[in-house]
Amino acid sequence: MKEYRKDVLTVKDIAYMMDPSILKLNTSYEDLDALIESCKKYEFGCAFAWPAYYEEMSRRLKEETHTAFGASLAFPSGQEATRTKVEQAVYFMSMNPVEVDMVMNVGWLISKRYKQAEDDLVAVRKATSGSSLKVIIEAMLLNDDQIREACKIVQASGADYVKSGTGFSEAPTTLHHVELMRECVGPDYKVKIAGGVRSLNTLLKMYKRGADRFGIGLPSAIKIIEEAKKLPGGSIAVKDIDLNSGDEEAAGGY
């Protein structure tokens, strides 16, 4: 995806930076229908679901919407063998995803198997050539030093984004995570946030602190865009976003 840092955000800008998902354990075809209809209505940037829906989802997004097709790889654990991840990537690429969001093997990171963790990402990066690759580091399970190391590994692998979480952890992504990830990767690398972003207030504060994209469960994405439509004049200046207003989300959830 192309990311645009702007001084003023419109409703269209906010919709574009959101990637709605239907990644519940009981996702159904009715959920897929709702996702497609919402992408038609709001023109979200990219959409994600489980692989069982990819063939129909990729076709319908292309034919019926302006929303890009995204694939979730090794989701949500990241604990698959590298060979399995690569085989999954090859299959996904046959459907031409614009975005591939994969999960790092965080266990290898915690065990300080840094080369093993990086090689895993590099193998998937090679298999997903032609798409944008995001790597999920599950920041809420890591301490600050581990987050810094994870960001280094992601950048070294050739991936396009570092992403905070899957949304399956109980704890949410926090403003601290956003600020630390941005500090680690520098001003020009892409940062995606997922896990607990359920209000426009939270999204705007994280954008101001350096987030580029947001992975959000479909109901929350709809709620946020409906909130955005009520902004005075249909837009908000980034300088006017109050980082001290309200509380951050108290729980995770994609």
Side-chain angles (χ1 to χ4, degrees):
M1 304 290 288
K2 292 182 179 179
E3 307 299 356
Y4 308 92
R5 301 302 301 183
K6 295 188 173 183
D7 295 327
V8 176
L9 295 175
T10 66
V11 176
K12 185 175 181 179
D13 295 328
I14 293 168
Y16 177 79
M17 69 176 69
M18 286 198 288
D19 297 341
S21 65
I22 47 169
L23 289 162
K24 302 176 296 181
L25 296 181
N26 61 345
T27 296
S28 66
Y29 273 104
E30 286 72 22
D31 293 318
L32 178 61
D33 291 338
L35 177 66
I36 299 297
E37 290 302 314
S38 296
C39 289
K40 287 182 191 177
K41 181 176 181 179
Y42 298 112
E43 298 190 357
F44 293 118
C46 190
F48 289 82
W50 296 110
Y53 299 95
Y54 284 176
E55 291 189 15
E56 180 172 341
M57 177 182 172
S58 60
R59 175 184 58 79
R60 292 185 63 187
L61 284 172
K62 183 176 180 180
E63 293 177 355
E64 302 176 34
T65 80
H66 296 290
T67 300
F69 164 52
S72 299
L73 190 149
F75 192 93
S77 75
Q79 297 281 347
E80 293 85 349
T82 300
R83 178 176 176 178
T84 301
K85 291 180 181 178
V86 170
E87 290 174 351
Q88 193 176 48
V90 170
Y91 169 57
F92 291 172
M93 290 304 292
S94 71
M95 290 170 278
N96 298 311
V98 174
E99 305 285 311
V100 176
D101 288 21
M102 74 168 293
V103 187
M104 172 184 278
N105 191 318
V106 176
W108 289 351
L109 174 78
I110 292 170
S111 297
K112 298 185 178 181
R113 301 289 185 95
Y114 301 141
K115 180 65 163 55
Q116 192 173 6
E118 182 179 333
D119 288 347
D120 188 57
L121 306 187
V122 169
V124 174
R125 170 70 287 181
K126 290 178 180 178
T128 56
S129 177
S131 70
S132 177
L133 179 65
K134 308 186 192 79
V135 177
I136 301 168
I137 64 171
E138 211 71 338
M140 56 288 300
L141 300 182
L142 306 176
N143 61 40
D144 286 2
D145 287 341
Q146 290 168 335
I147 290 172
R148 293 186 183 97
E149 195 64 47
C151 288
K152 291 179 186 177
I153 291 170
V154 172
Q155 286 188 291
S157 75
D160 300 283
Y161 293 72
V162 61
K163 179 177 173 182
S164 65
T166 59
F168 275 71
S169 297
E170 290 185 7
T173 300
T174 66
L175 272 180
H176 173 71
H177 294 139
V178 178
E179 293 165 353
L180 180 59
M181 291 166 64
R182 175 51 69 197
E183 175 189 325
C184 290
V185 300
D188 300 322
Y189 198 75
K190 299 175 183 179
V191 174
K192 180 174 177 179
I193 299 303
V197 182
R198 294 180 180 151
S199 70
L200 178 63
N201 184 49
T202 298
L203 182 148
L204 292 175
K205 289 192 293 185
M206 289 182 170
Y207 180 84
K208 187 170 184 175
R209 280 302 186 217
D212 296 299
R213 300 204 65 73
F214 298 87
I216 305 174
L218 180 59
S220 293
I222 293 171
K223 174 179 174 286
I224 289 170
I225 202 63
E226 289 294 341
E227 285 184 76
K229 288 165 66 175
K230 297 176 184 177
L231 288 169
S235 66
I236 185 169
V238 174
K239 66 179 179 62
D240 293 334
I241 297 170
D242 183 0
L243 295 175
N244 297 313
S245 64
D247 297 322
E248 291 181 63
E249 302 298 335
Y254 205 105

